[in-house]
Amino acid sequence: MSEYLLSEVVDKVATIRLNRPEKLNAFTDDMITTWVERLEEYRTSDDVNVIVITGTGRAFSTGGDVGKFADYAANTAADIKARLTENVQRLALKVREIDKPVIAAVNGIATGGGVDVALMCDLRFAARSARFAETYVRMGLIPGAGGAYYLPRIVGTAKALELFWSCESVDAEQAERIGLVNRVFDDERLAEETQAFACNLARGAPLAVRLVKKIIYQGLTSDLRSALDLVASNMPVVRMSADHKEAVAAFREKREPVFTGR
């Protein structure tokens, strides 16, 4: 377990906190290994319905540790590729495997791979002091953690290219305007507001929440007929679920439903 990654579960919301504030939460290999393990644990746990990723201190994350870059200068092309696929790209693939909601609570600076981690998540909430910058080109690099895949799908191709090529910093309000983040909160309220949203989501019908995520993401890469067929195939699953029956009963009885995920 990495000391640089903290986690806890409260009210079916799991929070993963990057905890290397002296290095602006730059990634280490141990952090990523523990991160992937923790995500897999939460992916399969009945005690977790929502996952939140955030940082400690004044940064969300600056991505890869620039101080270590010189150590890779002598690596072969095969070594560089293997390190990328076996390290941070494992994180991107693991987040995509998770059918539960994953929320990034961006508490401060997010650059390079730190932005890419936020982009991996389904929703992004930001503190008012948060800043975002895709700084790869400034370092003579390309986005290695999925940024070139996610960013154009979120803000559009032209805006993504502008952000990558310019390396300009975007503040939280600008990020909200271009659709990079969903909501902006005062710094002191980010954690509270994110937890409140996540807890409310965690109290929803888990099966329906997960299937909505599934059909939206699969719909992005399919034609209309295939997308509709996927909905038709999954509708019997939710119609016959205990959660749907509970929702109908609660509506008739004028009370809040209690969902079990079945």
Side-chain angles (χ1 to χ4, degrees):
M1 173 188 269
S2 171
E3 63 185 298
Y4 298 135
L5 200 79
L6 307 178
S7 59
E8 64 175 348
V9 178
V10 178
D11 295 332
K12 294 211 166 188
V13 176
T15 299
I16 296 174
R17 185 178 301 277
L18 310 184
N19 188 45
R20 201 183 179 209
E22 72 283 359
K23 293 292 186 180
L24 300 181
N25 297 322
F27 308 151
T28 68
D29 292 352
D30 285 347
M31 278 175 74
I32 291 175
T33 296
T34 303
W35 202 342
V36 172
E37 291 172 353
R38 195 66 67 245
L39 285 169
E40 175 60 18
E41 175 188 337
Y42 293 152
R43 183 184 73 83
T44 59
S45 173
D46 290 337
D47 294 327
V48 173
N49 286 350
V50 180
I51 300 169
V52 173
I53 298 173
T54 193
T56 301
R58 66 188 185 90
F60 177 71
S61 175
T62 54
D65 190 340
V66 177
K68 301 284 189 183
F69 283 6
D71 298 345
Y72 312 137
N75 288 0
T76 66
D79 289 337
I80 293 169
K81 179 177 180 180
R83 188 174 187 283
L84 192 61
T85 57
E86 294 168 9
N87 197 271
V88 73
Q89 289 187 351
R90 289 172 57 218
L91 181 62
L93 292 171
K94 180 56 63 179
V95 172
R96 180 45 59 96
E97 284 179 23
I98 297 170
D99 60 358
K100 301 171 182 179
V102 182
I103 303 171
V106 183
N107 55 292
I109 300 165
T111 61
V115 178
D116 294 352
V117 168
L119 297 175
M120 295 172 196
C121 300
D122 303 308
L123 302 177
R124 284 156 295 283
F125 296 164
R128 208 163 297 280
S129 66
R131 297 292 185 273
F132 301 81
E134 288 285 21
T135 51
Y136 291 101
V137 171
R138 184 179 297 155
M139 298 297 298
L141 295 172
I142 57 176
Y149 175 88
Y150 294 111
L151 192 58
R153 286 167 168 79
I154 293 169
V155 302
T157 301
K159 194 64 180 179
L161 286 169
E162 177 190 341
L163 293 172
F164 278 122
W165 286 340
S166 71
C167 301
E168 290 178 350
S169 178
V170 174
D171 65 28
E173 284 74 16
Q174 289 173 295
E176 186 178 28
R177 283 198 297 273
I178 65 176
L180 181 58
V181 303
N182 297 83
R183 301 184 184 188
V184 176
F185 302 107
D186 290 338
D187 289 28
E188 64 274 13
R189 294 193 58 80
L190 175 66
E192 179 184 347
E193 294 285 357
T194 302
Q195 184 70 14
F197 181 95
C199 284
N200 185 59
L201 184 53
R203 287 191 292 269
L207 183 59
V209 169
R210 295 171 197 175
L211 285 177
V212 164
K213 177 172 176 174
K214 175 182 177 180
I215 63 177
I216 284 180
Y217 281 125
Q218 290 194 17
L220 292 173
T221 58
S222 64
D223 59 85
L224 176 60
R225 186 174 296 278
S226 298
L228 292 175
D229 184 65
L230 180 63
V231 172
S233 297
N234 281 283
M235 188 62 79
V237 176
V238 290
R239 283 281 188 188
M240 298 172 69
S241 69
D243 279 352
H244 174 62
K245 294 170 184 174
E246 164 64 7
V248 172
F251 177 80
R252 289 174 175 166
E253 296 164 13
K254 295 185 168 73
R255 60 174 174 82
E256 290 296 315
V258 179
F259 296 117
T260 62
R262 295 179 176 82

